[in-house]
Amino acid sequence: MLMSYEQSLKILHSHINTYEKIEKIAITQCLGRILAVDIKAPKNQPEFLTSAMDGYAIQFQDQDKALEILGLTPAGTMPEFKVKAGTCVKTFTGSLMSQGSDTLVPIENVQVKNNTLFIKKKVAKGFAVRQVGENYKKDEILLQKGTKLSYSEIALLAELGFFHISVFVKPIIGVLSSGSEIKDLGECLDHPAQIHSSNHIAIASLAKMLSSQARIFPLLKDDKKASLSMIENALCSCDILITTGGVSMGDFDFLKQAIKEYTLIIDKVDIKPGRHIKIAKSNEKFIIALPGFPYSAMVMFNLYAREILNSWLLQSKDYICKAFLQGTYQKKTPHLEFVTCNIKFKNGRILANLEGKKEGSSAIINNLNNKAALMMVPKECEILENESLIDIIFMP
């Protein structure tokens, strides 16, 4: 009896240990990298009351008075004056508020005659004054370990004064495609029974999209001895080895035999596509043997290799959600099915449809084009009716 998808994920996670490969890099080079430490605020920001506009720092209760202008405080300078009753200080955007002041009156609200300020339009107490710790308080966790660094996070690191930052080393995903029928890019096909390999290109691209490095190994012909040797050598230089082809029931499917030389933790799962998947471990490294059909290989990488990478790099599974099916779907197999679908967002709802998706084998790469998602069709289900609420998985 085949294990369920849920059982396979539970087994897989029981074998995933903490990923501890960390390096320090300059923040100018860390776009898209995964933070390996928590970042705390070393101090309040701002540390002092700060002006948010150009105007005059006053005491709130003095707005009906003629105020003496003591001087000015440019941005980037420490205030020289102390505001008392009947006085004010000209203050600029980003300037520290002078001691004793609590409100800023914008320039457009005032009139100046000689050295005296008259307020034409009053403001509320504390107007245009940034409070201490408005951005963040001392010791507040600003960025959590596992954060994927984008432009705003990098800007925050710069504001905090960081130059080097600790990030996870990108896991190395090795890709080993097999099959005597496949030719590499640039090679001529000798006859119509041969095809150009696309799996190694697709898997390498997926790996890069999931914050990893890709290492593509030479294509492997259907040879038992070569399969054993190639897997052993490839494992020396990667964290996860993805193989494609050679895992089903054919006479020349030697990869499935080679993988059994390692600690096999998953052997076939009750899903479509990819039920012949095999996952093995070699110490802390994983070998994931995927089917040779391109659609199957890409879907299965998303379902299993992505689980490992997410665990290692502390990424949430925010790519799984609910959607409403537009149209009907007749189930094709007795397994849990993962079917490509289109996604639209309309009137606050996520809608899934199968427009333009071709039925057939798991070799149809173009079913995954145009940001396709995966619709999960439960094992027990026979048909999904229009407006059914379904689970979908967004591809990277």
Side-chain angles (χ1 to χ4, degrees), residues 173-178 182-186 196-209 213-219 242-244 292 294 297-298 301 365:
I173 310 300
V175 188
L176 177 59
S177 291
S178 72
I182 58 176
K183 289 277 194 173
D184 210 342
L185 304 184
H196 281 116
S197 174
S198 60
N199 282 336
H200 60 316
I201 302 302
I203 299 301
S205 297
L206 281 168
K208 292 173 185 176
M209 294 174 74
Q213 303 177 65
R215 186 159 292 164
I216 299 176
F217 298 103
L219 299 182
I242 306 294
T243 68
T244 65
M298 286 184 266
F301 182 92
I365 296 177

Side-chain angles (χ1 to χ4, degrees), residues 72-80 95-96:
L72 55 81
T73 304
T77 63
M78 296 300 294
E80 299 180 19
S95 298
L96 302 186

Side-chain angles (χ1 to χ4, degrees), residues 10 22 26 48 51 171 175 180 202 209 232 269 280 298 338 369 372 392:
K10 186 175 181 180
I22 297 172
F48 303 94
S51 172
V175 188
S180 294
M209 294 174 74
E232 184 178 355
V269 182
M298 286 184 266
F338 293 91
N369 291 351
I392 61 168

Side-chain angles (χ1 to χ4, degrees), residues 23-183:
E23 63 181 341
K24 271 199 162 187
I25 62 173
I27 65 169
T28 53
Q29 302 297 317
C30 68
L31 182 65
R33 298 298 296 271
I34 309 297
L35 195 61
V37 292
D38 288 337
I39 300 296
K40 292 184 178 181
K43 59 185 179 182
N44 293 326
Q45 176 60 28
E47 290 188 82
F48 303 94
L49 296 179
T50 304
S51 172
M53 299 176 69
D54 294 335
Y56 291 84
I58 68 167
Q59 292 185 350
F60 169 70
Q61 64 271 18
D62 280 355
Q63 294 189 71
D64 291 320
K65 301 177 182 177
L67 304 176
E68 176 190 359
I69 302 173
L70 300 177
L72 55 81
T73 304
T77 63
M78 296 300 294
E80 299 180 19
F81 309 99
K82 183 176 181 180
V83 173
K84 299 179 181 178
T87 66
C88 66
V89 174
K90 189 171 187 180
T91 305
F92 301 88
T93 304
S95 298
L96 302 186
M97 296 289 288
S98 296
Q99 184 180 351
S101 64
D102 59 13
T103 301
L104 187 109
V105 183
I107 285 178
E108 55 267 30
N109 289 24
V110 306
Q111 183 178 22
V112 177
K113 292 183 179 179
N114 297 322
N115 200 44
T116 302
L117 181 78
F118 299 92
I119 298 174
K120 298 184 296 180
K121 184 179 179 181
K122 295 181 182 180
V123 295
K125 186 174 183 178
F127 182 81
V129 177
R130 296 183 61 217
Q131 299 298 309
V132 173
E134 178 187 84
N135 289 12
Y136 40 79
K137 308 281 189 189
K138 186 178 186 299
D139 294 327
E140 179 184 346
I141 295 179
L142 303 179
L143 297 173
Q144 290 188 323
K145 182 179 180 179
T147 297
K148 189 170 186 177
L149 298 172
S150 188
Y151 65 94
S152 60
E153 290 84 7
I154 294 171
L156 177 58
L157 292 172
E159 179 179 276
L160 294 168
F162 284 97
F163 180 66
H164 288 94
I165 197 73
S166 294
V167 296
F168 286 114
V169 174
K170 289 185 177 183
I172 299 174
I173 310 300
V175 188
L176 177 59
S177 291
S178 72
S180 294
E181 77 280 10
I182 58 176
K183 289 277 194 173

Side-chain angles (χ1 to χ4, degrees), residues 337-357:
E337 292 182 1
F338 293 91
V339 181
T340 50
C341 61
N342 308 301
I343 295 298
K344 293 182 179 179
F345 300 88
K346 186 176 181 180
N347 299 328
R349 300 202 309 165
I350 303 175
L351 307 178
N353 68 69
L354 303 176
E355 295 173 9
K357 300 305 179 187

